[in-house]
Amino acid sequence: MSKEFYRKKIIDLRAKLEREKDAKKRDNERYADYVKRATTTDRKAYYRKEKVTHAASHDRQIEYIKREIERAKESLKREK
């Protein structure tokens, strides 16, 4: 593959990383709002658990994207 391909891939992955970070932030805010509005302790506990679960999912996705960026950088170095 060409250098331009890897450069474009790195740019695209960085944009994807930012979108994922924004999605994590939005989800955290939404679940915090759900916890505030919950009327029962069971519902609050449920939303807290969901918040942790979704945050962990976003964290895994963020780490995956970071690894992909590193792989693309290594591939770009090999092309030079």
Side-chain angles (χ1 to χ4, degrees), residues 57-69:
S57 174
H58 285 296
D59 289 340
R60 284 190 302 274
Q61 188 65 26
I62 288 168
E63 289 304 314
Y64 173 77
I65 295 168
K66 286 179 180 178
R67 286 192 307 271
E68 287 293 308
I69 290 171

Side-chain angles (χ1 to χ4, degrees), residues 1-10:
M1 307 223 185
S2 69
K3 290 184 220 178
E4 287 303 313
F5 171 80
Y6 289 114
R7 287 184 184 130
K8 182 180 180 325
K9 185 173 182 177
I10 290 169

Side-chain angles (χ1 to χ4, degrees), residues 1-14 68-80:
M1 307 223 185
S2 69
K3 290 184 220 178
E4 287 303 313
F5 171 80
Y6 289 114
R7 287 184 184 130
K8 182 180 180 325
K9 185 173 182 177
I10 290 169
I11 291 168
D12 292 343
L13 286 169
R14 285 181 179 155
E68 287 293 308
I69 290 171
E70 290 304 315
R71 286 186 199 118
K73 285 180 180 179
E74 292 297 320
S75 297
L76 180 60
K77 285 179 186 176
R78 283 192 301 267
E79 287 293 319
K80 289 185 177 180

Side-chain angles (χ1 to χ4, degrees), residues 3-49:
K3 290 184 220 178
E4 287 303 313
F5 171 80
Y6 289 114
R7 287 184 184 130
K8 182 180 180 325
K9 185 173 182 177
I10 290 169
I11 291 168
D12 292 343
L13 286 169
R14 285 181 179 155
K16 187 176 180 180
L17 181 64
E18 287 304 311
R19 285 192 305 271
E20 189 65 30
K21 286 180 179 179
D22 289 341
K24 179 182 177 184
K25 189 183 296 185
R26 279 193 314 272
D27 278 353
N28 280 341
E29 289 171 357
R30 184 175 65 233
Y31 280 104
D33 188 48
Y34 288 167
V35 169
K36 273 200 264 183
R37 292 180 185 198
T39 56
T40 65
T41 56
D42 289 341
R43 211 28 128 168
K44 283 186 182 200
Y46 170 78
Y47 287 134
R48 286 186 183 115
K49 182 180 174 189

